[in-house]
Amino acid sequence: MTAERTFTTHEIRRQTCLDGIWDFQPVAFDASDANPRAQAEPSWLTGDRDPRQAPSWQAEPTDPSHPLPTRYTEQAVVPSCWQTDGRHAGAYRGQAAYRREVVIDHPCNIRLVFKGVSHTARVFWDGAPVAFHYNAYTAFDLLLAGVAPGRHRLEVLVDNRFSEDSLLHIPNDYFTYGGIIRPVFMEEVPDLYLEGVGCRIRHGQGGWTARIEVEVRSCSPLPRTADLVCELAGRRAEVRGLALLAGVRRKLCLRMDFTDGQVLSWNPESPVLYPLKVTLEGPGAAGDDLIDRVGFRTVGLVGGRVGINGRPVLLRGVNRHEDHPSFGPAIPLSVMDQDLKLMADAGCNAVRTSHYPNDERFLDLCDERGILVWEESHARDGDEARITNPLFVRQSLDCAGQMVRQHMNHPSIVIWGCLNEAASNRPGAVDVFRSHMELFGRDDTRLHTFASRNLDDDLCQGMVDISAFNIYPGWYDRRSPEQMVDAIAGRLDACGPEGRPLIVSEFGGDGLYGLHDPGRGRWSEEYQGDLVADVAARLMALPRVAGLFVWQFCDCRVDPEWETGWPQTRPGLKNTKGLVDGWRRPKEAYRRLKDLWGR
Ligand code: ADA
C-alpha cells in the first residue's frame, strides 16, 4: 500500500489508500462544449495527431447536465496519467472519468484526500457532486459526514483541456498530462477531528520558539468537547475541554520554547527531524491524531549568501520537472529517490521545483537528505494581459496559498517562489507580484522571490528578499555570464539595497542524448557539457551570485499546442536541456558538472 508520506502520519486515525485499478472511461467532447481553444483548428505542427482525439478509445458522449458516463469500458491505474497508457501514448486532451467502489462497514465520517489530479477534478459520491478542484499540483480534500454503511460509488471526472477557464495550465514548455496523478486516501474521522497543523520555528535569544497552529473541525450536528495534546521534542502542550459548536472550525495557537541545547538544529549536513504529534481525545468521543515532522533551522541572508542557521551556503542546484517517459508526472517514490541520488552524486545541494508544487514525498526526501528546496507555485511565462486577468490572479493565489499551507512544515523549503518569467517589467502587473509576495510574507521563516527574465527593466525587485534571474549565456544570449550578471547587478543597485545578492535561477542549453560531435557543435552532448561547466564555473566566481540552478535536471515533454513557434526548437517535442535524459541516463553535462561540484 502506498503511504501518504515517507513516515507514519496517523497512529489513531484509520487511513486507507485507494490507489490501484479503477474503472476508466474517456468522455467525448460535445458540440455544446464552449471551449474555444480546444475547438480551435489543430496546428500544422501536430499534423494528423489532433490532440483532441483519443485515437483508440471508445469515448462516451455525455450530456453536460449528467457529466458522468453511463458505462465504463476501460480500466486504469491510480495514480498514473492516460498519456502513458501503453495503447494510446498520444496526446489525448479531454475529459475522462474514473470510478471505484468503496465499502463502508459502519456509520462514520469519511474524509477523502486527493494528492493531485491533472488538471481539473470533479468528485462525485454515489452520483452526487461533492468537490471541485483546479490545478494538478496541490492536494485537496473533502468531508462526507454521516456516511451510511454499504457499497458506495466514488467517481472523479478529470479534465486536462486548455480553455479560457484554465489560466495556469496553458500550452507550455512542459506537458499538462491528464489523470489522477498522485495518490488518493480515504480516512475515517470522528465528529471532532484535526484538519491540519502548521508550525513556524524561529530562533531568538539563546533558544528556539515553535509556534504551532492546529485546526480543529466539527462535523457533528451537536456541540462537542475534547482535549488537545501537542508533543514536540520531548515537550507537551495541552488544551483541556476544547468546546466546538456544531459544524464549526477553530484554530488554536500553541507555543513551545526550547533552549539551544535542548534540540539539535536541522542543517544540510545533518538534517535532524523531530516528529510533531497532535492528538485529540474526547470524553466518550473517538480520538484523532496527526503526525508531521519539523526541523529547527533559520533562513536568512548572511554575507551575500543564503544563510542556514547563520551559516552562508552557496546554492548549487538544478531545476526539476516531475516528468518521466514511463510515468509522466506520476513519479513513483523509487524515481524520486533515484533523482535525488543523482543530484547528490553531481554535487547539488539544492533543487527548484520548477514550475509548480511537488509531490510531498519528494519534499519529505529532501527534508531527510538535507537538500535545500526552492518551492515554486504554479505558473510559467505570463504577459501582462494574462497575469492581470482576475481569473489568473485567483487561480495563482489559490495555488500559492495551498502550497504554503500544505508544505509549511518542511524544513528543506528555504525559498517560496512564484510567477516564473512573468511580466514583472509592466507597470500594470506590479500589483499581481505584490499580492503574491504579501501572501508569502505571512511566512517569515523563508525567503521569497520569483524568477525574472527582465534583466534590464524589472519593476518588482523591491518586493523580494533575494533577486533571481534566468539567463542563457551561450544558448539564447550572446552576452557572457559576467556581462549578464553585471547588467542585473547594476539594475539591482539602482533600485534596491546596494549589493543585494542574486540567484541565477536558470542557465543551460540543449544537448541531445547520444548525439556526439568531435566538433563540439550546438545540440551535441559535448556542446552542452562545455556550456554548463563553463557558465557554472564563471558564475561561482562572481561574489554577487548566491546560487545557481541548471536548467534542467531531466529532459521533459512539451505540449505540442505550445503556441509561440518554440516547439520548433524542441526536438521530439522535448525540452532537452536535461543533465540526464528522460530515462535518467547521464549526459556529458552531468559528468562535467560532477567534475565541478561533486568532487
Ligand atoms: C525559460 C523557462 C523554462 C524553460 C527554459 C528553456 O527560462 O523558465 O521553463 O522554458 O526557458 O528551456 O527555454
Side-chain angles (χ1 to χ4, degrees):
M1 185 185 108
T2 312
E4 185 176 355
R5 306 283 296 276
T6 61
F7 56 94
T8 300
T9 49
H10 303 284
E11 285 165 356
I12 299 174
R13 184 184 293 185
R14 227 172 92 188
Q15 188 188 55
T16 313
C17 182
L18 298 184
D19 291 358
I21 308 284
W22 291 43
D23 297 330
F24 178 72
Q25 186 61 52
V27 175
F29 287 85
D30 72 34
S32 65
D33 197 333
N35 188 340
R37 261 192 219 261
Q39 293 188 1
E41 284 297 301
S43 102
W44 63 269
L45 275 172
T46 50
D48 309 335
R49 285 192 310 106
D50 177 351
R52 294 171 297 158
Q53 309 297 323
S56 52
W57 273 319
Q58 282 292 73
E60 284 276 299
T62 58
D63 165 356
S65 56
H66 300 285
L68 292 171
T70 45
R71 64 191 183 115
Y72 287 73
T73 57
E74 308 256 343
Q75 291 194 316
V77 172
V78 169
S80 75
C81 65
W82 57 69
Q83 285 79 9
T84 52
D85 180 314
R87 291 159 306 157
H88 14 241
Y92 174 63
R93 196 164 287 295
Q95 299 187 80
Y98 289 74
R99 178 180 70 182
R100 66 160 287 159
E101 189 179 78
V102 173
V103 180
I104 306 289
D105 56 15
H106 61 283
C108 59
N109 307 314
I110 294 292
R111 180 171 181 260
L112 294 170
V113 183
F114 292 83
K115 301 295 277 190
V117 178
S118 183
H119 60 59
T120 294
R122 289 181 178 77
V123 184
F124 299 81
W125 181 257
D126 291 332
V130 288
F132 171 89
H133 183 261
Y134 169 70
N135 175 29
Y137 306 115
T138 47
F140 64 96
D141 61 76
L142 63 107
L143 184 79
L144 303 164
V147 175
R151 295 177 178 281
H152 295 274
R153 206 167 72 244
L154 173 61
E155 283 166 296
V156 187
L157 186 62
V158 181
D159 193 344
N160 80 330
R161 285 173 297 174
F162 299 130
S163 79
E164 303 302 316
D165 298 331
S166 166
L167 295 187
L168 304 181
H169 288 278
I170 57 169
N172 224 326
D173 200 7
Y174 56 91
F175 198 90
T176 284
Y177 291 89
I180 300 179
I181 60 167
R182 292 181 186 164
V184 183
F185 296 91
M186 181 172 79
E187 299 176 344
E188 186 184 323
V189 294
D191 284 352
L192 264 193
Y193 75 97
L194 295 160
E195 261 210 318
V197 56
C199 180
R200 287 186 184 81
I201 292 181
R202 299 186 184 85
H203 191 263
Q205 304 263 309
W208 298 92
T209 302
R211 286 181 190 279
I212 303 160
E213 279 184 13
V214 183
E215 288 172 325
V216 184
R217 182 174 173 187
S218 157
C219 56
S220 157
L222 302 168
R224 296 269 182 214
T225 52
D227 298 332
L228 184 135
V229 178
C230 184
E231 292 164 280
L232 172 63
R235 286 292 168 78
R236 190 179 158 96
E238 297 179 357
V239 180
R240 295 271 161 216
L242 170 70
L244 260 76
L245 295 175
V248 301
R249 285 189 165 88
R250 202 162 143 193
K251 195 179 273 183
L252 291 132
C253 299
L254 304 164
R255 175 184 160 145
M256 291 187 191
D257 295 305
F258 302 87
T259 58
D260 279 334
Q262 282 174 326
V263 287
L264 296 170
S265 57
W266 184 97
N267 290 289
E269 312 72 39
S270 169
V272 179
L273 295 164
Y274 288 89
L276 169 63
K277 187 170 173 181
V278 188
T279 314
L280 266 187
E281 296 155 359
D288 192 24
D289 67 344
L290 281 186
I291 303 168
D292 204 344
R293 295 185 308 195
V294 298
F296 290 82
R297 59 105 181 92
T298 62
V299 181
L301 293 179
V302 179
R305 294 271 189 268
V306 173
I308 308 297
N309 299 320
R311 210 171 56 76
V313 181
L314 175 72
L315 303 179
R316 299 181 312 267
V318 286
N319 288 277
R320 174 176 174 270
H321 269 301
E322 288 181 317
D323 198 5
H324 189 286
S326 288
F327 310 110
I331 305 286
L333 188 61
S334 56
V335 174
M336 296 178 203
D337 171 60
Q338 181 188 21
D339 286 0
L340 280 165
K341 284 178 176 156
L342 283 166
M343 287 177 207
D345 178 59
C348 298
N349 62 8
V351 60
R352 174 177 170 224
T353 71
S354 49
H355 301 296
Y356 37 78
N358 273 200
D359 188 309
E360 198 163 11
R361 292 168 299 166
F362 183 75
L363 302 172
D364 285 338
L365 294 178
C366 291
D367 290 342
E368 290 161 18
R369 296 174 193 191
I371 296 290
L372 303 172
V373 179
W374 161 329
E375 181 153 64
E376 185 151 293
S377 178
H378 189 196
R380 176 193 170 278
D381 198 8
D383 62 17
E384 185 175 355
R386 184 160 80 89
I387 72 164
T388 55
N389 180 328
L391 182 63
F392 175 90
V393 176
R394 183 162 64 69
Q395 292 182 339
S396 179
L397 285 173
D398 278 355
C399 178
Q402 288 163 20
M403 172 180 84
V404 170
R405 186 185 141 89
Q406 292 170 11
H407 296 165
M408 165 70 85
N409 298 333
H410 291 278
S412 59
I413 300 175
V414 294
I415 296 175
W416 293 128
C418 60
L419 299 172
N420 174 72
E421 293 197 345
S424 50
N425 56 345
R426 307 296 307 159
V430 167
D431 280 348
V432 178
F433 281 84
R434 187 169 293 117
S435 56
H436 285 72
M437 289 302 145
E438 279 170 6
L439 187 152
F440 289 161
R442 290 185 224 145
D443 174 16
D444 63 358
T445 66
R446 293 170 168 102
L447 303 175
H448 312 140
T449 194
F450 63 91
S452 171
R453 68 166 165 221
N454 303 308
L455 269 54
D456 308 313
D457 54 357
D458 196 294
L459 298 173
C460 299
Q461 292 304 313
M463 302 173 195
V464 298
D465 296 321
I466 188 163
S467 294
F469 284 82
N470 298 344
I471 61 173
Y472 282 87
W475 192 252
Y476 298 131
D477 207 300
R478 287 178 184 279
R479 288 175 284 179
S480 71
E482 291 82 359
Q483 285 168 327
M484 298 187 80
V485 168
D486 266 3
I488 300 166
R491 170 98 195 142
L492 294 185
D493 287 344
C495 74
E498 193 152 332
R500 177 208 300 217
L502 93 100
I503 292 175
V504 173
S505 30
E506 294 180 20
F507 70 97
D510 286 85
L512 297 177
Y513 180 82
L515 179 68
H516 291 285
D517 174 15
R520 311 185 90 76
R522 268 173 90 91
W523 299 94
S524 68
E525 284 201 32
E526 287 76 14
Y527 184 94
Q528 185 198 20
D530 292 347
L531 174 77
V532 167
D534 182 47
V535 175
R538 290 162 74 159
L539 290 175
M540 287 166 72
L542 300 176
R544 194 69 184 252
V545 174
L548 56 162
F549 290 75
V550 182
W551 186 269
Q552 59 179 338
F553 171 66
C554 57
D555 291 352
C556 69
R557 185 168 170 174
V558 306
D559 278 319
E561 301 95 321
W562 195 26
E563 291 155 330
T564 58
W566 283 77
Q568 294 170 74
T569 65
R570 300 290 182 259
L573 284 171
K574 302 251 169 22
N575 185 317
T576 54
K577 296 187 188 69
L579 296 172
V580 300
D581 74 351
W583 306 101
R584 277 48 177 176
R585 293 176 297 188
K587 300 184 201 169
E588 185 62 20
Y590 177 93
R591 289 183 280 273
R592 296 289 301 278
L593 197 72
K594 180 173 170 172
D595 285 342
L596 192 67
W597 286 357
R599 297 183 199 283

